[in-house]
Amino acid sequence: MEGIKIEKIFLLFQIFCIISNRGGNSYAVIESVNESRKFPDKFLFGTSTSAYQIEGGWNEDGKGLSIWDTFTHEHPEKIADRSNADVGPDSYHRFDDDLKIIKELGSDFYRFSISWPRVMPTGDISSLNKAGLKYYDDVINKLLENNIEPMVTMFHYDLPQKLTDIGGFTNPLFLKYFENYAELLYIHFGDRVKYWITFNEPFDYCHPGYGEATYPPLIESDGIANYLCLDHTIKAHAMAYRLYRMKYYEKYGKIGKVGITISSRFYFSKSNDESIVDRGMQFMLGWLAHPIYSKAGGYPEVLIEEIGRNSLGEGRAWSRLPTMSEDWKNLIRGSADFLGLNYYTSRYIEYVESPKGKSPSLERDARINATVDPQWKRAKSTWLYSVPRGLTGLLGFIKDQYSNVEVMITENGFSDDGQLNDDDRIQYIKDHLNAILDAIDQGCNVTAYTVWSLIDNFEWVYGYTERFGLYYVNMSSPNKERIAKKSAKFYTDVIKSHSVSSNL
Ligand code: BGC
């Protein structure tokens, strides 16, 4: 304790010296303070990928079709460079190359996803594909042999096409199919996997896939099918969680954790109206997090009221927001051991009296207008502005609203053209790590950080035009070599020193 006090006094003295130096600026103060900031000893560092984005091998060894196979084949015009991930970085054949760089980084864990149609080609257990299981067995075993903890995402957008043919996420049977799939994974890999994530970013497949029709399965039903997709996702998540706790938690030594990954921006008020911040947050993070992590459970009140009122106003007989029965509320509330958080960016918001969007739509229900600060640095992706203080704000919001639940940051990253000298990515990661340290100082229970992504990969409708990797991959090279960018070296130093002290 004494040591810490002396360190703090020394830090204050340093800050005083820098501030009194007339040549200095406030940026220099932050830099210098950051140099002595360390992460807690048990804090974990990793990198993340997803099956469709990196594996390739789209039709090999019995794999079934996913909706992304079908979509990219049938609609190349909807992908920025008309590409697909039939081969991509080819991790299905090159996992050893991935392993080599995961080790090089010194990562504590590696987050990857399992392709549902690779292990169950039709989405159903009757179609079990042993070759698919073997691929993931090898991945998991090789990681563990090298002291790297596998963190497994069960679903990262690539739904089996056959399940989509019968309604996908809007089919009430989806809940059973997912539970069954989750059980296969627990049975087969549960003796070795400690970290499970049921779904990756439900917002990001439900809204574009079932609302705006920009992602497969191209359903245009904003305000209806996308809300149902979210509802079924939350319920399927809770069923998979309860199943693990009931049948597998004890069996596998009471160390496994099951969570869900939610993506969220943080919202700042554009005017002085702070109540808008809560409204915006409930319409984004709260939609999924409130039912699972809040003490009260169920959907946030503001959603129930607004969507209910609008639905009646449209002449409907019931609310477009599905009703959560008491039984479901109880099953869902508390159904996670941690919150997986994907954070990329934030926005300023203000309340909109008469929203212009189509009726019905999320835009009309939420009634918020989001803008950016022109000072924020933008990535290659048009939606991605660097706002590190948004991450601190978001973590504080989670701490206050959800009883300081454990948060594992499961994605954070920056896109560019794929250049090896990626100073902007380094700055982004550095700033966000400092934002996490700020949150930890404020008592937030953050235990892990994950860079998206380990390697350049297929960026959904943007194809290969936006690159997020710490390692560059030339998609047309026969061997798909993984080439370290400058940020890989930077992140290696961060992991090794457990701090953001690197001067890179
Ligand atoms: C997704 C990734 C995606 C990344 C960058 C996240 O929303 O989980 O699959 O590549 O963002 O857009």
Side-chain angles (χ1 to χ4, degrees):
M1 283 301 273
E2 260 326 279
I4 294 173
K5 256 191 211 156
I6 291 168
E7 218 175 86
K8 273 200 177 146
I9 294 168
F10 180 65
L11 196 70
L12 286 173
F13 178 68
Q14 267 186 320
I15 296 171
F16 172 75
C17 292
I18 296 161
I19 291 172
S20 10
N21 171 0
R22 283 162 189 257
N25 53 29
S26 57
Y27 182 68
V29 173
I30 293 166
E31 284 295 284
S32 177
V33 172
N34 289 341
E35 283 192 19
S36 55
R37 300 179 84 192
K38 279 212 151 213
F39 282 87
D41 289 346
K42 290 197 172 145
F43 193 90
L44 303 174
F45 292 97
T47 56
S48 182
T49 59
S50 89
Y52 183 74
Q53 294 177 278
I54 65 158
E55 282 180 7
W58 70 283
N59 61 354
E60 283 183 52
D61 302 332
K63 176 180 169 293
L65 292 180
S66 85
I67 52 171
W68 275 89
D69 294 314
T70 321
F71 173 65
T72 52
H73 294 164
E74 289 175 3
H75 294 286
E77 78 286 356
K78 292 193 189 284
I79 311 295
D81 53 4
R82 300 183 69 86
S83 66
N84 58 48
D86 285 0
V87 180
D90 201 21
S91 291
Y92 187 63
H93 300 106
R94 298 175 196 280
F95 177 68
D96 286 345
D97 297 349
D98 292 341
L99 182 67
K100 184 166 165 274
I101 57 176
I102 296 167
K103 279 165 65 179
E104 196 170 281
L105 289 166
S107 319
D108 299 305
F109 65 93
Y110 175 54
R111 173 178 180 241
F112 63 97
S113 79
I114 290 186
S115 157
W116 189 342
R118 197 180 288 291
V119 296
M120 285 184 178
T122 66
D124 185 282
I125 190 71
S126 65
S127 66
L128 185 70
N129 179 28
K130 294 218 167 107
L133 289 177
K134 178 167 182 326
Y135 171 67
Y136 297 110
D137 260 329
D138 288 349
V139 167
I140 291 167
N141 291 342
K142 286 178 182 179
L143 287 169
L144 288 171
E145 277 159 24
N146 288 284
N147 288 323
I148 297 150
E149 211 59 67
M151 181 185 277
V152 174
T153 309
M154 299 178 186
F155 178 80
H156 199 125
Y157 307 176
D158 47 354
L159 194 68
Q161 179 61 46
K162 290 281 183 201
L163 287 188
T164 295
D165 295 344
I166 55 166
F169 275 88
T170 60
N171 181 346
L173 272 182
F174 173 81
L175 275 55
K176 295 289 293 172
Y177 279 108
F178 185 76
E179 188 189 37
N180 201 226
Y181 165 57
E183 180 146 35
L184 171 77
L185 303 187
Y186 295 149
I187 291 174
H188 207 82
F189 306 119
D191 57 336
R192 287 154 291 157
V193 173
K194 281 195 226 152
Y195 298 106
W196 292 100
I197 291 164
T198 52
F199 292 93
N200 178 70
E201 301 192 351
F203 247 63
D204 298 74
Y205 56 80
C206 288
H207 291 312
Y210 292 85
E212 300 144 10
T214 47
Y215 272 24
L218 299 177
I219 308 286
E220 199 173 344
S221 173
D222 199 357
I224 302 172
N226 45 347
Y227 296 1
L228 190 56
C229 170
L230 289 170
D231 193 69
H232 285 168
T233 296
I234 299 169
K235 288 173 175 162
H237 157 81
M239 283 167 65
Y241 176 83
R242 299 288 171 208
L243 177 72
Y244 186 82
R245 296 298 286 199
M246 249 162 43
K247 284 174 73 175
Y248 300 100
Y249 178 65
E250 246 188 85
K251 180 177 162 128
Y252 295 135
K254 299 189 182 177
I255 46 172
K257 290 185 176 190
V258 182
I260 182 168
T261 281
I262 305 176
S263 56
S264 190
R265 297 173 173 181
F266 187 62
Y267 289 132
F268 301 101
S269 171
K270 205 174 168 190
S271 54
N272 285 327
D273 169 19
E274 282 306 315
S275 67
I276 191 68
V277 173
D278 189 67
R279 182 187 177 88
M281 292 309 298
Q282 299 303 347
F283 266 92
M284 193 170 199
L285 178 74
W287 199 304
L288 293 141
H290 195 276
I292 302 173
Y293 300 98
S294 75
K295 283 210 180 87
Y299 285 119
E301 272 310 309
V302 62
L303 265 70
I304 299 173
E305 277 167 25
E306 289 283 336
I307 302 171
R309 192 172 43 240
N310 288 349
S311 302
L312 293 184
E314 291 150 16
R316 292 171 200 275
W318 57 79
S319 175
R320 288 179 279 100
L321 182 72
T323 310
M324 230 177 235
S325 68
E326 283 305 309
D327 284 350
W328 270 115
K329 259 193 215 169
N330 292 334
L331 192 93
I332 294 165
R333 188 177 39 219
S335 65
D337 301 311
F338 64 93
L339 191 161
L341 181 69
N342 287 1
Y343 176 80
Y344 286 89
T345 194
S346 286
R347 293 287 185 270
Y348 277 97
I349 53 168
E350 61 194 334
Y351 186 74
V352 184
E353 207 47 69
S354 336
K356 291 198 187 73
K358 279 188 288 184
S359 172
S361 63
L362 172 63
E363 195 184 334
R364 279 181 90 100
D365 290 332
R367 289 169 175 271
I368 52 174
N369 183 35
T371 47
V372 301
D373 179 338
Q375 306 279 322
W376 292 341
K377 179 155 189 71
R378 211 200 83 189
K380 179 86 190 285
S381 314
T382 51
W383 53 270
L384 208 181
Y385 291 81
S386 178
V387 196
R389 73 190 172 96
L391 179 52
T392 315
L394 183 56
L395 290 167
F397 182 88
I398 292 172
K399 170 174 165 262
D400 295 346
Q401 300 259 329
Y402 312 125
S403 320
N404 209 8
V405 61
E406 175 180 357
V407 176
M408 301 185 96
I409 295 178
T410 42
E411 282 182 36
N412 177 242
F414 192 81
S415 59
D416 57 18
D417 289 308
Q419 59 270 36
L420 298 182
N421 273 332
D422 54 344
D423 291 313
D424 289 344
R425 175 168 296 108
I426 293 176
Q427 192 62 52
Y428 178 94
I429 296 176
K430 199 173 185 173
D431 291 346
H432 285 78
L433 288 171
N434 275 311
I436 295 168
L437 284 167
D438 289 344
I440 293 175
D441 284 351
Q442 290 161 24
C444 297
N445 187 8
V446 197
T447 59
Y449 175 79
T450 319
V451 170
W452 181 270
S453 175
L454 176 67
I455 49 178
D456 285 345
N457 58 54
F458 182 78
E459 179 54 15
W460 308 114
V461 290
Y462 303 103
Y464 299 104
T465 63
E466 297 177 8
R467 305 298 190 102
F468 279 88
L470 294 174
Y471 288 77
Y472 169 77
V473 182
N474 175 354
M475 302 299 161
S476 24
S477 120
N479 294 322
K480 317 266 187 259
E481 297 84 0
R482 279 72 168 132
I483 301 166
K485 299 180 189 174
K486 202 168 160 187
S487 58
K489 167 82 179 79
F490 165 76
Y491 196 44
T492 310
D493 287 352
V494 167
I495 298 176
K496 200 164 170 199
S497 64
H498 247 64
S499 74
V500 268
S501 57
S502 167
N503 285 324
L504 271 175

